[in-house]
Amino acid sequence: MLIWVCSDLTLLRFVLDGIPPCKDSKLLIKDLKVDEVPLRIYQPKWPPTGKRRGILYFHGGAGTFGSITFERICRYIAKKCNSVVVSVGYRLAPEHPYPGQYFDCLNATLYFMRNLEEYHVDPALIIISGDSCGANFATVICQILVNKRDLPKVRAQVLLYPGLQGLDLHLPSYQQNARVPMLYRKLAIYFCFRYLNREPSFLEDVLQNCHVPESMKRKYKKWISADNIPDEFKIRGYIPQKSTSYKHEVHEAVKELLAITFSPLLAEDSIICQLPESYIVTCEFDVLRDDGLLYKKRLEDNGIQVTWHHSESGFHGTLAFFGYGIFSFLSGKKIMDNTVNYINSL
């Protein structure tokens, strides 16, 4: 039933865009387009005492819904961190096919980095951030920028409950939270099919990891494995998956799930070791929790400083309710306050 409801993207987009907030007298909010990509730029109205931080924000929504109307988060960060926040309205799949969303995010990032003076932003204080699939985009953009020597170096990446791999869908968090709202395990994979513009005919096979060749499982086991998840995150239950048969036709149908763009956890150490300082949020009741835990370990193993906030009561999508008064969740408020404190520490 839930998948049927979510199959109507028009309805889903309307509902999840939320209620527009009232005008904010403390912010200057400007809309523009860069290469057909909508941007919304938030700047505090009070005069700066020096150059400000510049924060790019990529919203979540499985690449198929969400927009720059994800206002409350961006307004909060702009005011609490005295920063310029650029919300990127990357074009959505399936109308704009994968991997176009990454190009939109990259082009928006390059525009901002090349026009910092216009926004009175310190080039040493650029932060790339996002939630859910937006955190995936932020991760990939930071990996791409490692080799862009003509641009300012990114100060930090801020990743809020990121989805970072499509190789192992039987990690502890995928088992424990398979039926936990808002992102059920089966629904998460269904959204992947919609994002890639594929019919979900192989959904059950993908849930059993039948899309992954044995050679890939062996190659990446050192990075993506329940063995790398601390035991404290297995207490709620974990059963190692029995061996499943690889199905070539399933792999061919969804091989993008294993690409570096979709699964930046698979990036080589030569890239990971050059990444900026990182802030990662994970939520206990989130199928994607272990993606964040595994990336945290990879970064730390490569000498990258990581600040980690784990929300014991949080669930995937809790920030979608942030700023809605009695409809908000304490977990979302704590995540935002911790995030603001981290940004202000830079």
Side-chain angles (χ1 to χ4, degrees):
M1 175 65 179
L2 185 58
I3 285 181
W4 180 83
V5 172
C6 292
S7 68
D8 188 338
L9 282 181
T10 302
L11 174 62
L12 193 62
R13 288 171 180 173
F14 174 77
V15 171
L16 294 179
D17 272 352
I19 302 169
C22 299
K23 187 174 180 179
D24 196 315
S25 61
K26 296 180 180 179
L27 291 174
L28 175 64
I29 301 175
K30 172 185 176 183
D31 287 348
L32 70 153
K33 280 192 174 183
V34 173
D35 294 331
E36 300 303 313
V37 179
L39 306 183
R40 182 162 291 170
I41 302 176
Y42 304 81
Q43 302 175 78
K45 281 187 176 179
W46 57 88
T49 55
K51 289 193 173 181
R52 289 182 163 124
R53 298 177 193 85
I55 303 172
L56 286 132
Y57 192 89
F58 307 132
H59 65 81
T64 59
F65 52 89
S67 70
I68 55 174
T69 60
F70 204 65
E71 293 249 10
R72 288 164 176 81
I73 298 291
C74 294
R75 290 186 181 196
Y76 190 78
I77 294 173
K79 289 186 289 189
K80 292 292 185 179
C81 299
N82 189 25
S83 299
V84 177
V85 176
V86 180
S87 178
V88 179
Y90 55 85
R91 291 169 291 182
L92 302 174
E95 297 90 337
H96 297 277
Y98 164 92
Q101 294 68 37
Y102 296 93
F103 297 125
D104 284 356
C105 291
L106 179 60
N107 288 337
T109 301
L110 296 178
Y111 161 79
F112 186 55
M113 285 185 152
R114 290 168 177 160
N115 292 275
L116 298 177
E117 280 295 325
E118 179 181 344
Y119 301 103
H120 207 70
V121 166
D122 186 339
L125 289 175
I126 297 172
I127 298 164
I128 297 182
S129 64
D131 69 282
S132 191
C133 79
N136 172 288
F137 300 157
T139 303
V140 173
I141 298 307
C142 283
Q143 292 182 1
I144 291 172
L145 293 177
V146 160
N147 295 314
K148 297 281 187 180
R149 306 298 181 186
D150 58 326
L151 295 170
K153 189 174 180 179
V154 176
R155 178 66 178 86
Q157 57 180 347
V158 171
L159 311 177
L160 310 177
Y161 41 76
L164 300 172
Q165 61 87 29
L167 188 139
D168 189 348
L169 307 175
H170 269 269
L171 292 167
S173 64
Y174 286 80
Q175 293 186 21
Q176 295 163 3
N177 300 309
R179 294 177 176 83
V180 174
M182 293 179 16
L183 191 64
Y184 300 91
R185 177 167 167 259
K186 186 174 287 190
L187 185 61
I189 309 309
Y190 172 79
F191 280 142
C192 291
F193 276 90
R194 292 305 303 264
Y195 176 42
L196 298 174
N197 200 19
R198 299 285 192 276
E199 289 297 322
S201 52
F202 292 119
L203 191 148
E204 292 297 333
D205 290 313
V206 172
L207 284 170
Q208 298 304 318
N209 292 335
C210 295
H211 63 299
V212 186
E214 288 300 322
S215 58
M216 287 196 75
K217 290 180 182 179
R218 289 193 299 269
K219 178 179 179 180
Y220 294 116
K221 184 176 175 60
K222 59 185 177 181
W223 296 335
I224 301 179
S225 167
D227 295 341
N228 294 333
I229 302 297
D231 288 341
E232 66 193 90
F233 293 103
K234 300 173 185 175
I235 293 173
R236 290 200 292 124
Y238 169 63
I239 301 173
Q241 185 187 18
K242 295 180 180 178
S243 179
T244 55
S245 299
Y246 166 64
K247 297 182 179 180
H248 180 71
E249 68 275 17
V250 179
H251 172 77
E252 286 299 310
V254 296
K255 57 188 175 183
E256 292 91 345
L257 292 178
L258 306 174
I260 298 296
T261 43
F262 194 97
S263 296
L265 246 171
L266 304 182
E268 294 296 328
D269 284 340
S270 59
I271 297 294
I272 301 292
C273 70
Q274 300 182 69
L275 290 171
E277 179 181 332
S278 304
Y279 172 82
I280 297 176
V281 168
T282 54
C283 292
E284 180 61 27
F285 300 100
D286 179 7
V287 292
L288 303 183
R289 179 197 69 198
D290 292 350
D291 289 21
L293 294 177
L294 291 174
Y295 202 51
K296 172 181 178 289
K297 184 179 189 305
R298 284 217 62 200
L299 290 164
E300 291 174 337
D301 287 349
N302 279 274
I304 305 300
Q305 180 179 334
V306 178
T307 300
W308 172 52
H309 173 68
H310 182 64
S311 175
E312 295 285 354
S313 62
F315 58 91
H316 194 87
T318 185
L319 293 178
F321 300 91
F322 179 78
Y324 281 95
I326 61 171
F327 299 104
S328 299
F329 290 86
L330 183 58
S331 59
K333 179 67 164 60
K334 287 183 176 179
I335 288 171
M336 285 312 305
D337 287 345
N338 273 278
T339 302
V340 163
N341 289 340
Y342 171 75
I343 292 172
N344 284 334
S345 74
L346 298 173

